[in-house]
Each structure stands twice: as structure tokens, then as C-alpha cells.
């Protein structure tokens, strides 16, 4: 297990380029399973989750070419579909949250998929009902996998489940179908991965699939654009009502992944909290939604310079109030609302602001538990319940002190790193594999700007 030693109090200066978007890359790479032709994907982030997903596809038989540090080709013309029934696949897929996105493409193209209960961040329950109900609506059957075996015939217990149950999602779930049939469905939640999975299953189904209450994040839009370039017929892109007319086959295409909006937001908060002057280059600003304005509500000034964001050095920043004078509340919401992945960053940035803010994390009940480490560093935070925390920012009257911390998930990890960079003294952050899952070579990139982060 690796750790970061972080010397606090150092200012950053210069330019930084955000990596390719992690969440988009997971969807796009899985979508390459839908065709035997070659798909070229550019601006792929070099992070642990992506490396693990690429390795998993390679084990399945996908031919992978690396054109450069960020550009790949994927050719899924000779898949070993039996591999998904092996213990090795179960183990590797269960360790990677993004592996859930392989289910839709495999089901759509081959009529079968295996869904291990995926791993990932320790942020609370992350149910898969939306995915499974969507597959069932298209005509798939779910079967609970009772035990693992190298032989497919010995793996499946015949136990059809008309509705997803705890039994179906506690272990591996085998999903099978003849030819999927397009249907109308109203999703119970606007799940991003659920929407992506259903789209990828539906593009090769017979007839028309209509998905209402679909997620409409830029990364879902990017997935739909790629699929249309591969020959799919998807309309309503950018809205929560998608119409998909199934086609018989898809062909190859080339796709460029957007910059990671979560990294962009992380750098905005990092610059303000450390009093640094920073230019974030090539941000795809028009795809950031309300993220810049959400940071402005914390009192952070920034300038849009073309497609770049310039954050001047802040001696202080003050949290706004609502127009009636009530305390500012920042909450996550489905797009175009604020992404939940940035609330951890916004919470830590608020600790060094002046004023108070209520952070309301609606989606995950364990994502705010890392605040006890910030409290140990001297932050004034009241954890109201698993979903809400009140931050009392004292500005320059209170500097955080160094601490030893352990990262429970990607976003808490980067929040801890930002806190350590602004604190007095040297902090230690353990379990930084969690940070590496979402941020490529973050220590090297920040050290080039003036930080002092040592990997041990």
C-alpha cells in the first residue's frame, strides 16, 4: 500500500491540463465490445481504474493497440465469451466498479453477460436495480450464480428472477437473452451508469427503445455520439428522453474523450485553498455546467479565458448567502445539477473560507464520513447526519494542522490531499491507490507546479 507525504503551505503556480474524463472513458471503452471492428479512443486517462478495465478486456480477447500515452485502438473481433464465467473474471471484475458497464454491450451483442457485485469506493450502497430492471424490460432473464467454475455448464443455478432481488445482486448475476426487444421504460432514478448500460444493450435490440428519466450528463451525450458514429440510431441526446431504434450491427469509429470535469473542479478548489495562481487549460468550459458557478458561491474568483480557466491567488474568499440572507446550501442533483463527485472537494475548500455553508450529499450515505479527519486537522465541521455537513469557515483565522489520514474513496482522497497541501506541517495520506484510481500521476503533476508530495 502506497502513501503520500505532503508538505503543506506551498503555493502552486503555472498551468495544468486536466486528464481525460474517467467516467466517460469507462463507458466508451466498454462500448467497443459492441462491434468486431476497430474503435479508436483518444485522450484516455492513465489511471488505475482504466488500466484495470483495459487489462480485463485484453484477458477476454480484445485486441488492444496503444498509439500513444493517451490513444488506444480496441478490436473485439474474437472474444472468448466463456471467459466471463470463470473465477478469474469474477475476481477481476468484482474489484472494478467500472466493470458493470461491460454488461450492456455483452448482453446486446452476445445475449449473455455476468455481473459480479462490483467494488470501488466505500461511499455507501450503490444499487444495481436500475441496470437490471432495464435489462429485464428489454427481455433479459436474470439467474443467480451459486458457485464459480471454469466450466460454464457448472456455473449457473437455474433460478429465474422476475424482479431484481438482493439474492440476484449479492453475488454474481448471469443475464441472458435471445434477441432483445425494444420497449418503453421509465427509470426509477436517473442513474448515469444505469442509463449507459441500457443504451448499450438497446442499440442492437429489435425495434424502438424509449428511455424516460434518462441521465443526460455530458458523458452520456458523448457515449450516444460515439454510438451514432458507429451506426446506432439515437435521438434526444442531451435530454432525459432518449429514443433508440435498434440496428443489426455497429461498425468502427474514432472518439475523443472530454477533459475530466471533476479534475477541473478539484484544481479550482485546490488553487483557492492554497492561495495559488493557476491556469487550467483546455477545460471544455461549455460542458462544465454549473460547476464554475458553484465554486463562485464559495467566494472563489475565476476568469474564463477562451477554453481555459484562470484562478488568481486568493488572500481570502467569502461564502455567499442566499438573497434572503439564509445560509448557503450546496447540494448534488442529476445533471444539469451539481455532480456529487465534487461535494467532497467543495466541503474541504469551504473550511478555509469565511462564512458558513451546508453541504448536502443526497446520493451516498457514507461519502461525508471522511470529515472526521478534517475535524482532526482543526476544521470547524458539524456532521448533521450521513448526508449533511455544516462547515463553519473561519478564513485566515484558522489554519489546518497536519495529520495522518487514510483515503476511503477517490473524491475523499483528493479532498484530503487538498487539505494537506494547505495545512501547516507534513501530513501523511495512506491508501492512495484510491486517489490513483481517478487522478493520473497527481503527485508528479502538482510537484511540477510547486507542491511537495512524496510517494512512499
Amino acid at each position: 500500500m502506497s502513501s503520500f507525504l505532503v508538505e503543506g503551505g506551498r503555493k502552486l503556480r503555472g498551468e495544468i491540463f486536466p486528464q481525460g474524463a474517467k467516467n466517460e472513458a469507462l463507458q466508451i471503452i466498454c462500448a467497443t465490445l459492441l462491434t468486431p471492428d476497430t474503435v479508436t479512443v483518444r485522450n484516455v486517462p492513465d489511471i488505475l481504474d482504466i488500466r484495470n478495465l483495459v487489462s480485463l478486456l485484453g484477458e477476454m480477447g480484445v485486441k488492444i493497440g496503444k498509439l500513444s500515452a493517451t490513444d488506444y485502438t480496441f478490436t473485439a473481433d474474437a472474444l472468448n465469451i466463456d471467459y466471463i464465467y470463470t473465477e478469474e473474471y469474477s475476481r477481476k471484475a468484482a474489484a472494478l466498479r467500472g466493470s458493470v458497464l461491460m454488461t450492456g454491450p455483452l448482453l446486446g451483442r452476445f445475449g449473455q453477460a455476468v455481473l459480479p457485485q462490483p467494488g470501488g469506493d466505500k461511499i455507501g450502497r450503490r444499487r444495481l436495480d436500475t441496470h437490471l430492471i432495464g435489462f429485464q424490460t428489454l427481455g433479459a432473464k436474470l439467474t443467480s450464480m451459486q458457485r464459480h467454475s471454469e466450466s460454464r455448464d457448472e456455473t449457473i443455478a437455474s433460478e429465474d428472477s422476475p424482479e431484481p432481488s438482493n439474492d440476484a445482486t449479492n453475488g454474481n448475476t448471469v443475464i441472458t437473452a435471445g434477441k432483445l426487444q425494444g420497449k418503453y421504460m421509465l427509470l426509477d432514478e436517473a442513474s448515469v451508469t444505469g442509463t449507459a448500460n441500457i443504451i448499450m444493450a438497446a442499440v442492437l435490440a429489435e425495434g424502438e427503445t424509449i428511455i424516460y428519466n434518462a441521465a443526460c450528463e455530458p458523458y452520456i451525450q458523448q457515449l450516444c455520439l460515439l454510438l451514432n458514429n458507429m451506426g446506432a440510431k439515437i435521438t434526444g441526446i442531451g435530454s432525459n428522453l432518449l429514443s433508440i431504434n435498434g440496428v443489426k450491427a455497429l461498425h468502427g469509429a474514432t472518439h475523443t474523450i472530454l477533459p475530466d470535469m471533476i479534475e477541473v473542479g478539484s484544481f479550482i478548489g485546490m488553487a483557492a485553498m492554497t492561495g495559488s495562481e493557476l491556469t487550467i487549460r483546455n477545460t471544455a468550459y461549455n460542458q462544465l455546467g454549473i460547476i464554475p458557478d458553484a465554486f463562485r458561491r464559495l467566494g472563489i474568483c475565476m476568469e474564463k479565458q477562451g477554453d481555459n480557466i484562470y484562478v488568481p491567488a486568493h488572500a481570502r474568499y467569502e461564502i455567499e448567502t442566499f438573497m434572503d440572507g439564509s445560509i448557503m446550501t450546496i447540494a448534488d442533483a442529476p445533471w444539469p445539477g451539481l455532480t456529487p463527485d465534487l461535494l467532497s472537494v467543495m466541503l474541504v475548500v469551504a473550511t478555509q473560507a469565511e462564512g458558513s455553508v451546508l453541504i448536502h450529499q443526497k446520493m451516498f450515505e457514507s461519502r461525508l464520513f471522511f470529515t472526521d479527519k478534517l475535524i482532526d486537522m482543526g476544521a470547524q465541521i458539524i456532521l448533521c447526519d450521513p448526508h449533511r455537513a455544516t462547515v463553519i469557515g473561519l478564513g485566515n483565522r484558522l489554519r489546518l494542522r497536519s495529520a495522518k489520514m487514510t483515503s476511503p474513496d477517490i473524491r475523499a482522497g483528493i479532498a484530503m490531499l487538498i487539505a494537506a497541501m494547505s495545512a501547516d506541517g507534513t501530513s501523511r495520506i495512506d491508501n492512495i491507490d484510491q486517489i490513483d484510481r481517478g487522478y493520473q500521476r497527481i503527485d508528479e503533476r502538482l510537484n511540477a507546479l510547486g507542491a511537495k508530495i512524496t510517494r512512499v
Side-chain angles (χ1 to χ4, degrees):
M1 181 184 296
S2 299
S3 303
F4 280 152
L5 297 180
V6 185
E7 182 181 308
R10 298 176 68 94
K11 294 186 184 299
L12 310 180
R13 188 178 181 87
E15 298 180 343
I16 193 165
F17 289 79
Q19 68 191 31
K22 166 185 177 281
N23 291 338
E24 179 185 344
L26 292 170
Q27 297 176 22
I28 296 298
I29 291 172
C30 290
T32 66
L33 294 169
L34 283 163
T35 177
D37 294 346
T38 297
V39 178
T40 301
V41 185
R42 304 192 185 280
N43 199 30
V44 177
D46 181 19
I47 55 177
L48 187 60
D49 273 10
I50 297 300
R51 292 197 295 269
N52 288 340
L53 179 62
V54 170
S55 174
L56 187 58
L57 265 62
E59 293 290 338
M60 187 181 294
V62 178
K63 298 181 182 71
I64 299 166
K66 192 165 185 179
L67 306 178
S68 69
T70 60
D71 300 347
Y72 289 80
T73 60
F74 299 88
T75 308
D77 60 347
L79 287 187
N80 175 17
I81 194 65
D82 286 341
Y83 178 69
I84 66 176
Y85 296 94
T86 65
E87 290 186 27
E88 180 182 0
Y89 175 80
S90 179
R91 182 179 68 255
K92 290 183 177 181
L96 173 66
R97 180 73 191 177
S99 67
V100 69
L101 288 161
M102 297 170 63
T103 314
L106 292 175
L107 182 63
R109 182 177 168 195
F110 298 101
Q112 54 188 304
V114 172
L115 177 61
Q117 184 69 9
D121 296 326
K122 306 303 180 185
I123 57 177
R125 292 170 294 176
R126 305 178 75 177
R127 63 190 183 90
L128 299 174
D129 298 50
T130 303
H131 305 243
L132 298 177
I133 292 172
F135 296 149
Q136 286 183 318
T137 303
L138 295 174
K141 294 184 178 180
L142 310 183
T143 310
S144 179
M145 208 170 190
Q146 297 297 321
R147 58 192 176 92
H148 302 297
S149 170
E150 294 298 323
S151 170
R152 187 163 111 195
D153 293 338
E154 298 174 6
T155 303
I156 306 171
S158 179
E159 187 179 306
D160 290 344
S161 175
E163 293 293 336
S165 65
N166 289 335
D167 289 341
T169 56
N170 280 340
N172 289 3
T173 303
V174 177
I175 308 171
T176 56
K179 185 66 177 177
L180 296 176
Q181 301 292 323
K183 293 287 181 64
Y184 170 87
M185 62 184 78
L186 174 61
L187 303 188
D188 61 336
E189 64 172 346
S191 164
V192 176
T193 54
T195 299
N197 238 343
I198 296 167
I199 290 170
M200 290 188 282
V203 289
L204 295 177
E206 290 183 348
E208 184 182 33
T209 299
I210 295 176
I211 308 173
Y212 196 22
N213 195 30
C216 51
E217 271 79 355
Y219 304 146
I220 291 289
Q221 298 175 39
Q222 287 285 97
L223 173 65
C224 291
L225 292 174
L226 167 65
L227 293 173
N228 279 352
N229 287 337
M230 294 169 66
K233 296 181 179 179
I234 306 172
T235 58
I237 299 172
S239 76
N240 68 347
L241 181 61
L242 295 176
S243 176
I244 304 168
N245 282 292
V247 297
K248 291 185 177 181
L250 299 179
H251 52 72
T254 298
H255 180 83
T256 300
I257 292 171
L258 288 174
D260 195 310
M261 67 171 69
I262 311 304
E263 241 200 12
V264 172
S266 300
F267 293 146
I268 292 171
M270 183 183 296
M273 193 167 177
T274 59
S276 302
E277 181 182 359
L278 198 61
T279 298
I280 309 165
R281 299 291 303 276
N282 299 350
T283 64
Y285 190 93
N286 292 335
Q287 301 289 342
L288 294 177
I290 67 170
I291 289 173
D293 286 339
F295 280 100
R296 289 186 179 101
R297 287 189 158 188
L298 294 181
I300 298 173
C301 298
M302 68 192 80
E303 298 175 17
K304 179 182 182 295
Q305 299 179 344
D307 205 29
N308 306 330
I309 295 176
Y310 169 71
V311 184
H314 285 67
R316 61 183 293 275
Y317 51 100
E318 183 176 353
I319 300 170
E320 297 179 359
T321 61
F322 286 116
M323 289 183 177
D324 63 358
S326 58
I327 183 173
M328 176 60 59
T329 298
I330 294 179
D332 59 337
W335 187 269
L338 182 65
T339 171
D341 285 345
L342 274 175
L343 286 187
S344 297
V345 171
M346 302 192 78
L347 185 149
V348 73
V349 171
T351 66
Q352 297 300 283
E354 296 182 6
S356 300
V357 62
L358 175 66
I359 303 292
H360 190 175
Q361 164 61 263
K362 299 175 183 176
M363 189 172 295
F364 304 113
E365 67 269 19
S366 301
R367 203 166 216 172
L368 297 182
F369 286 168
F370 80 100
T371 54
D372 61 345
K373 301 302 180 185
L374 301 180
I375 293 171
D376 290 343
M377 299 176 77
Q380 304 293 297
I381 302 172
I382 301 170
L383 187 60
C384 308
D385 56 45
H387 292 276
R388 297 178 301 161
T390 300
V391 183
I392 304 166
L394 299 179
N396 295 331
R397 291 171 289 167
L398 172 70
R399 285 187 59 83
L400 299 181
R401 52 182 176 265
S402 60
K404 181 178 179 180
M405 299 168 276
T406 299
S407 173
D409 65 80
I410 299 173
R411 309 310 173 187
I414 198 67
M416 290 176 174
L417 180 59
I418 295 171
M421 291 171 65
S422 73
D424 290 330
T426 300
S427 299
R428 181 186 179 101
I429 306 174
D430 294 328
N431 195 30
I432 61 168
D433 285 353
Q434 288 285 6
I435 302 175
D436 289 337
R437 287 180 48 226
Y439 294 83
Q440 66 181 28
R441 301 186 308 279
I442 190 66
D443 49 334
E444 299 174 23
R445 295 158 71 202
L446 295 179
N447 286 345
L449 298 174
K452 189 171 182 181
I453 305 168
T454 306
R455 183 183 294 262
V456 297

